[in-house]
Amino acid sequence: MICRSMFAALLIAVATACTTSPAAPDAASATVRDTLSLQGVQPLAGQAGDVVVVVFSSTDCPIANALAPELERIHRDLEARGGRLFLVHARSDLDAATSAAHATQYGLTMPVLIDNELTLARSLGAVVTPEAVVLRFAERDLWTVVYRGRINDLYVALGRRRAAATSHDLRRAIDAALAHRPIDFEPVAAVGCWIEGL
Amino acid sequence: MTLASLLALAAALTAAGDITWHEHIQPLTATHCGGCHVDGGPAPFPLISYDDVARRSAFVLALVDSGRMPPWLPDESGPPLRHVNKLSAGQVETLKSWVSAGKPRGPEPRQPAPDDVSWMKIPATVLTMSEAWPVPSEGPRDMHTVVLPVGNEQSLFVRWVGWVSNQPRAVHGVTFLADGSGTARDFDALTAGPGYDSMGDVGATPSGALGAIGPGLPRFSLPMGYAFEVPPDAHIVAEVHSLPTGLGGPMLGEVHLGPSEVKRPTLVLPLSLLDFEIDVPPGVNDHVLNDAWTLPCAVEVIGVLPRAGDVCRSIELFAVDAPTAHSEPATARHLLRIPAWDTHFRRPYIFEQPVPLDKDTVIGARWTLDNSADNPANPSHPPQRVKLGPHATDELVSMVLWVAPLDPADAPVLERFLLASVRARFARRGKAREALPQPTLFQSDDSPPTPSIGEAHAPDR
């Protein structure tokens, strides 16, 4: 399920908000723990043509949990189109058993990883959960950040929730990444629970 | 730097250094956060232990500093309220200082403060659902009404009401009613499964007549000496609002009815204020709805449950004192004002002291609706015409006031008035404004002087 090819991106640059930009140099080599196998995993080990979505999450963030069914659908859709989605719990104190139980409870079938050291969160510039980063494997073994921001607009602000999402930003960003083009909308910062300890 | 300023600086530094978890922060979070942020509670994560709070301190501080948490919507226009969750500026500073100082634990107190469980000592009547209903994992807020038999041969006098469920984090709020007519039971029998997917009002009695719970108020309690009457052979009708959490699944609940501690409590009745004439074009940001009644006798107002949907921006409850021969032009005074309404935090408010109002006082409510794209809570993008209805994209405004006659002899008069007032409101539904029954607050003839609230003008409708 998890590709372990080792194409490390080494371009020195900082991932800025969300327009197409190179990923931070340590993103590709960032290792996080897989909830089920407990093995170290590098989600950004990849190969030419890959589109990878990293969604930072937390098991007890109500906004991340409210969006869990939609993330599962996005994962399945993306997988059918050849891409990969990783759910990464960015928390220093989360253990694998809690993470695995949460994945079972919410019916999540994507790879669920734990970023205890917040390495991946830092290198991809995530600050809240849920926050999505869409990356495309660019030329010369480099990852490009196509999008970083909210999943959709279900939550307008903390505690301000729409009846239904009207703007599906992550899905649009995935379409752009798969089509090898930049996003054609202004990214909006994710609303959610702060990642503590950054 | 003068000696005085040096001393002040030293005092400030000492004060900041002295702020500890055990002495300052734990009592603060226990009072203002722990009621909901507890394992099995309605809020997302516990904020009980040092680790709970310390590991989320940046997020907690940001939410507290912005006023987002603890949730508290009213401003200070009206009389003082009970259970005020809002932190004072000084408390916020205390929290900031504690975080800045490295979140010290400090020495443990010799004896932990006992939890306030005094209300649990008197056994409650617990009504348990035998069959669950499904709540969705996603989608808009969901509403479901369940009907539970009490099995009481005699009237019960109830001072507090609670709701316990297997999905506490999905429950957004519950409003209660005691039905002695059998209407709710019969209505429930018409559909399969427990309860029904419509509102919990029964006839002229509004849901909430028996109290309500919501964010920040997990248990509804009348002041000592006051009670609701649950008539013999009653059914408790609970209108349960749930918020999809991503999980969904079968929902089971229990209604807890706490008895009055006094044998002859003052009985509390519901007064409804509502406006059915809702038709707000898209783009309009100041559409006013209102309702008002002239009181038939002197009453005390115990508390109020404001209700409105996402298009509503602000809510006001006010009183216009009865005119007297020598009185100045009457002015309306706020009993409650919510300048920035948020459906998510809908809950009842109880006055610190019951508010006495004379006979012939006009009591009125005003809801201001914002159906523009600038309203971030607007459920429709782009905005759509908003009409009366129970769904997330509809609007429904009402207010239940819990009142008691100041003179017990006026109870029959008040009861008849409350029943007639709701019937009149239902009767006027859909009719032209010219056909409105009297009294209304802003009528043109023999009306009380035009009320003014600060610089606000009388509602125009």
Side-chain angles (χ1 to χ4, degrees), chain B residues 20-34 47-48 87 91 94 105 109 113:
Chain B
T20 67
W21 164 255
H22 286 301
E23 188 176 348
H24 303 93
I25 305 302
Q26 191 278 335
L28 191 152
T29 54
T31 304
H32 293 275
C33 316
L47 289 174
I48 301 294
L87 296 185
Q91 288 171 313
T94 299
R105 288 177 188 265

Side-chain angles (χ1 to χ4, degrees), chain B residues 125 155-162 210 220 222 226-230 236 256-261 265-268:
Chain B
T125 300
S155 282
L156 294 180
F157 297 103
V158 168
R159 187 161 86 87
W160 62 263
V161 188
L210 189 70
F220 178 92
L222 291 170
Y226 295 84
F228 297 118
E229 181 176 3
V230 175
I236 301 301
H256 291 220
L257 303 175
S260 166
E261 297 89 340
T266 301
L267 292 186
V268 174

Side-chain angles (χ1 to χ4, degrees), chain B residues 1-165:
Chain B
M1 188 175 278
T2 64
L3 179 62
S5 58
L6 273 173
L7 287 172
L9 178 63
L13 288 172
T14 305
D18 284 341
I19 293 171
T20 67
W21 164 255
H22 286 301
E23 188 176 348
H24 303 93
I25 305 302
Q26 191 278 335
L28 191 152
T29 54
T31 304
H32 293 275
C33 316
C36 296
H37 286 273
V38 58
D39 276 332
F45 36 72
L47 289 174
I48 301 294
S49 70
Y50 174 86
D51 288 342
D52 291 339
V53 179
R55 94 171 178 80
R56 293 181 187 278
S57 58
F59 191 37
V60 167
L61 199 54
L63 288 168
V64 164
D65 203 22
S66 68
R68 193 74 203 156
M69 284 283 154
W72 187 255
L73 302 182
D75 66 11
E76 293 174 0
S77 305
L81 295 159
R82 293 186 176 208
H83 313 299
V84 177
N85 270 351
K86 188 179 180 180
L87 296 185
S88 68
Q91 288 171 313
V92 175
E93 285 307 313
T94 299
L95 198 57
K96 280 184 186 172
S97 301
W98 177 67
V99 173
S100 301
K103 299 174 260 186
R105 288 177 188 265
E108 284 196 40
R110 289 177 197 161
Q111 205 172 358
D115 290 338
D116 177 18
V117 292
S118 54
W119 58 272
M120 295 173 70
K121 290 177 183 167
I122 302 174
T125 300
V126 178
L127 314 175
T128 305
M129 292 180 64
S130 55
E131 193 183 350
W133 83 93
V135 297
S137 60
E138 294 179 276
R141 281 185 289 273
D142 193 54
M143 181 181 68
H144 191 80
T145 296
V146 295
V147 182
L148 295 167
V150 183
N152 55 323
E153 293 180 358
Q154 297 180 332
S155 282
L156 294 180
F157 297 103
V158 168
R159 187 161 86 87
W160 62 263
V161 188
W163 170 266
V164 176
S165 88

Side-chain angles (χ1 to χ4, degrees), chain A residues 102-116:
Chain A
H102 174 268
T104 303
Q105 190 181 23
Y106 283 82
L108 302 174
T109 64
M110 72 283 279
V112 178
L113 314 177
I114 304 176
D115 188 11
N116 284 136

